[in-house]
Amino acid sequence: MPETASTPTRSGWIDDLRWAVHASGPVAMGYVPLGMALGALVVNLGLHWWLAPVMATAVYAGSMEFLLAGFLVSAPGLASVALATLAVNFRHVFYPLAYPTHLLGRPWQKVLGAWKLTDEMYALLAGGTRPHSSRQVLMLSSVTQFWWVSGTVLGTAIGNLVPAGFRGLDFAMTGLFIALALNFFLSSAAWRVAGYAAVGIGAALLLPGPFLAWSLSVFTLCCLAEVWVVERRDAGPDDAEGQDDERREAR
């Protein structure tokens, strides 16, 4: 049977894999050392070593996995686990704004893409990485998860060899996000986004409640306000008045 343009080919898979490995390089530099820290933590808590790669594969929620390792030892109530999960992963509500959902046409692709959507995957996409097909999206997310799982396995192997006072692994992810943020700002010159982030941080410092929820909410509102202003400006006064008239008639 002759191949069509939509038929996956061996060369196409290999090319997409190479692209994903190259694009996920910055993530690997943060995932591997932090994954090692998770693996070492699991071993030092007295848990079975295989729990680290299982959590990295099935849970795949970064900071939540560190909390989960502690939960497996302390066995808190279900309500406490649910509240901690909501507080830690609340930020994921905003990530679909920059996620190429239009490339994921099938339901299983959307489910798999949502499950593999992490802070680092979001940062890559927001920083200029542009997949052009569902295969590239899922390949990129799978390769980034591979780096994370590999780090946890390596951490379980050397966990007992890492000194208790060893410092530096915890800064790997902070350094990764600083590098990705700088790459985004330098490539897009959208420094006003940094201003929106500063507004969000300032509001979160003044408002009571969870810092991350307030900062992300205010930051998102600033971005949505810019989109609204730009659309109104591009539409022109006549189009804007016509849209207002249509809304009044609809009411």
Side-chain angles (χ1 to χ4, degrees):
M1 178 183 295
E3 291 181 348
T4 63
S6 60
T7 302
T9 63
R10 180 179 176 83
S11 60
W13 281 96
I14 294 176
D15 290 341
D16 287 345
L17 178 60
R18 289 174 178 169
W19 170 83
V21 171
H22 180 268
S24 64
V27 174
M29 291 186 288
Y31 263 10
V32 172
L34 199 64
M36 290 172 58
L38 175 61
L41 175 65
V42 168
V43 172
N44 291 329
L45 288 176
L47 300 171
H48 294 291
W49 70 269
W50 49 264
L51 283 173
V54 166
M55 288 193 299
T57 302
V59 180
Y60 194 41
S63 53
M64 190 61 213
E65 294 174 46
F66 285 89
L67 290 178
L68 181 58
F71 289 161
L72 293 175
V73 176
S74 60
L78 183 60
S80 299
V81 175
L83 182 60
T85 303
L86 177 62
V88 171
N89 292 331
F90 174 79
R91 63 191 185 279
H92 287 209
V93 173
F94 303 97
Y95 289 174
L97 296 175
Y99 196 72
T101 53
H102 62 282
L103 296 177
L104 305 177
R106 300 179 179 178
W108 69 267
Q109 292 176 340
K110 294 182 182 294
V111 172
L112 188 60
W115 173 51
K116 290 179 176 290
L117 179 56
T118 61
D119 299 333
E120 295 71 30
M121 184 70 178
Y122 170 80
L124 282 177
L125 296 173
T129 302
R130 294 290 180 266
H132 299 290
S133 65
S134 60
R135 187 170 65 189
Q136 286 189 343
V137 174
L138 298 179
M139 187 76 75
L140 179 61
S141 58
S142 297
V143 171
T144 56
Q145 186 176 14
F146 169 79
W147 297 128
W148 177 249
V149 176
S150 300
T152 60
V153 173
L154 185 59
T156 60
I158 66 173
N160 293 326
L161 303 178
V162 179
F166 185 79
R167 298 180 179 274
L169 288 178
D170 54 344
F171 185 74
M173 198 57 64
T174 303
L176 167 65
F177 281 118
I178 292 175
L180 292 175
L182 286 175
N183 178 67
F184 167 76
F185 290 128
L186 293 176
S187 61
S188 64
W191 292 101
R192 64 187 182 282
V193 178
Y196 300 156
V199 172
I201 292 173
L205 292 174
L206 297 175
L207 296 171
F211 175 87
L212 189 61
W214 278 119
S215 59
L216 284 176
S217 298
V218 173
F219 172 76
T220 303
L221 288 175
C222 291
C223 293
L224 292 176
E226 178 184 342
V227 172
W228 181 80
V229 170
V230 170
E231 288 182 348
R232 298 278 294 189
R233 182 190 62 193
D234 295 341
D238 295 336
D239 292 339
E241 291 177 0
Q243 293 176 0
D244 292 338
D245 294 338
E246 291 177 359
R247 294 193 187 96
R248 295 191 190 99
E249 292 177 359
R251 292 174 183 175

